[in-house]
Amino acid sequence: MIIDTHQHFWQYNPVKHDWIDEEMAVIRHDFMPQDLQPVYEEHDVTGCIAVQADQTLDENTFLLNLADEYNFIKGVIGWVDFQSDSVQQDLDYYAEMPLMKGYRHVVQAETDPSFLLRKSFLSGISKLKDTGAVYEILVFAHQLPAVLEFVKLFPEQQFVIDHIAKPNIKEGYIDSWALLMRAIASYENVSCKVSGMITEADYKTWKTIDLMPYMNVVFEAFGPDRIIYGSDWPVCLAAGSYSQVLNVAKAFAGQLSKDERELFFYKNAQRIYTI
């Protein structure tokens, strides 16, 4: 069994999706469940978590409607404005929807290096603890110092780091990222998605061997109980096929025991997202 904990759906809009630059032009079109379903059938993927790509409440509705229609979508990571006065009302509303598993903010796009530590943002995050929702942390590696301070403040909140915090794999930088990831992993309420790596490497020349040191750091830091597989489809298509992404994960999992592979590919996801 495989649960893909990170993929996206969208109806492409050049304004809404302006983050898709020329280098990623191959994904400038619609990606919907009917496009992904045959890929999953080919690779024996049981289900997925659909993650927001647009920071609006309309995006939540879009993804939740798709999850209602397609059984293989096991949950949604949506968005709310945690700095808004209405955040409690929004969280209460979505708490009634079992398919809403959590939230994230595109912190990687924020220019303020301390965005996660803003009092208004922290106040909103503090309201999550009573909902059981996950908060996913989407950052670049240079934002990890703030992440470390952030997770310290919420020992009872379930956190998941997206895309192993996007280290600069293309340039081979690893030491400072690894140091901070180990520090963050010391907080047992934080898990990590082994995802999004091929688009942090050289799109055209990456090899699995380039990625393995980063995956090994994550495994060493978080252990077998706090790592989960994600494809980052369709973003991954800018640098490789779904088969290639899954083969990277399988190459990494080849060094794990049978029980650890089951944790990585589906059991940890089932627990974290209450699937």
Side-chain angles (χ1 to χ4, degrees), residues 128-169:
L128 270 179
K129 64 183 178 182
D130 296 326
T131 71
V134 174
Y135 181 76
E136 298 207 350
I137 300 171
L138 176 62
V139 293
F140 287 119
H142 70 266
Q143 296 169 305
L144 284 175
V147 174
L148 177 58
E149 299 302 323
F150 177 64
V151 299
K152 285 180 182 179
L153 298 173
F154 302 101
E156 297 179 1
Q157 174 61 44
Q158 181 75 248
F159 292 113
V160 176
I161 295 177
D162 286 350
H163 309 324
I164 66 170
K166 295 196 164 189
N168 190 338
I169 299 172

Side-chain angles (χ1 to χ4, degrees), residues 36-47:
L36 183 57
Q37 194 164 19
V39 176
Y40 281 172
E41 289 172 356
E42 178 185 353
H43 295 96
D44 296 321
V45 178
T46 305

Side-chain angles (χ1 to χ4, degrees), residues 10-239:
W10 62 67
Q11 294 171 313
Y12 178 68
N13 179 300
V15 176
K16 183 189 296 186
H17 302 110
D18 62 352
W19 55 271
I20 305 177
D21 59 22
E22 286 298 325
E23 194 174 18
M24 306 174 78
V26 68
I27 61 172
R28 283 178 172 166
H29 60 86
D30 296 355
F31 288 94
M32 296 293 284
Q34 58 266 34
D35 304 308
L36 183 57
Q37 194 164 19
V39 176
Y40 281 172
E41 289 172 356
E42 178 185 353
H43 295 96
D44 296 321
V45 178
T46 305
C48 65
I49 300 293
V51 180
Q52 61 83 222
D54 183 35
Q55 298 192 140
T56 64
L57 299 182
D58 286 343
E59 175 87 337
N60 298 341
T61 301
F62 169 67
L63 294 176
L64 287 165
N65 286 342
L66 292 178
D68 281 334
E69 185 176 354
Y70 292 88
N71 186 55
F72 74 90
I73 305 173
K74 304 301 183 183
V76 167
I77 296 297
W79 177 88
V80 295
D81 184 355
F82 283 102
Q83 299 182 88
S84 168
D85 291 339
S86 65
V87 65
Q88 185 68 66
Q89 178 181 341
D90 291 337
L91 293 174
D92 289 345
Y93 173 72
Y94 291 116
E96 301 298 318
M97 302 181 186
L99 287 171
M100 183 64 93
K101 303 300 184 180
Y103 306 91
R104 76 169 189 173
H105 184 89
V106 184
V107 178
Q108 69 175 35
E110 298 290 345
T111 56
D112 178 1
S114 298
F115 176 87
L116 284 171
L117 303 177
R118 290 181 179 179
K119 288 183 178 179
S120 56
F121 191 78
L122 295 175
S123 176
I125 294 293
S126 71
K127 295 174 171 59
L128 270 179
K129 64 183 178 182
D130 296 326
T131 71
V134 174
Y135 181 76
E136 298 207 350
I137 300 171
L138 176 62
V139 293
F140 287 119
H142 70 266
Q143 296 169 305
L144 284 175
V147 174
L148 177 58
E149 299 302 323
F150 177 64
V151 299
K152 285 180 182 179
L153 298 173
F154 302 101
E156 297 179 1
Q157 174 61 44
Q158 181 75 248
F159 292 113
V160 176
I161 295 177
D162 286 350
H163 309 324
I164 66 170
K166 295 196 164 189
N168 190 338
I169 299 172
K170 184 175 181 179
E171 302 300 333
Y173 298 152
I174 191 169
D175 290 346
S176 59
W177 164 84
L179 185 68
L180 284 162
M181 288 293 276
R182 291 183 181 112
I184 291 165
S186 69
Y187 295 89
E188 295 186 358
N189 55 316
V190 186
S191 300
C192 186
K193 288 186 186 179
V194 180
S195 62
M197 294 171 294
I198 67 173
T199 46
E200 299 307 312
D202 188 297
Y203 284 12
K204 296 180 179 178
T205 65
W206 70 268
K207 297 179 177 61
T208 299
I209 195 171
D210 303 328
L211 313 177
M212 198 64 74
Y214 298 87
M215 293 187 282
N216 288 340
V217 166
V218 167
F219 180 65
E220 171 205 330
F222 290 88
D225 297 315
R226 292 187 287 137
I227 55 172
I228 49 179
Y229 163 70
S231 69
D232 200 24
W233 182 95
V235 178
C236 66
L237 301 179

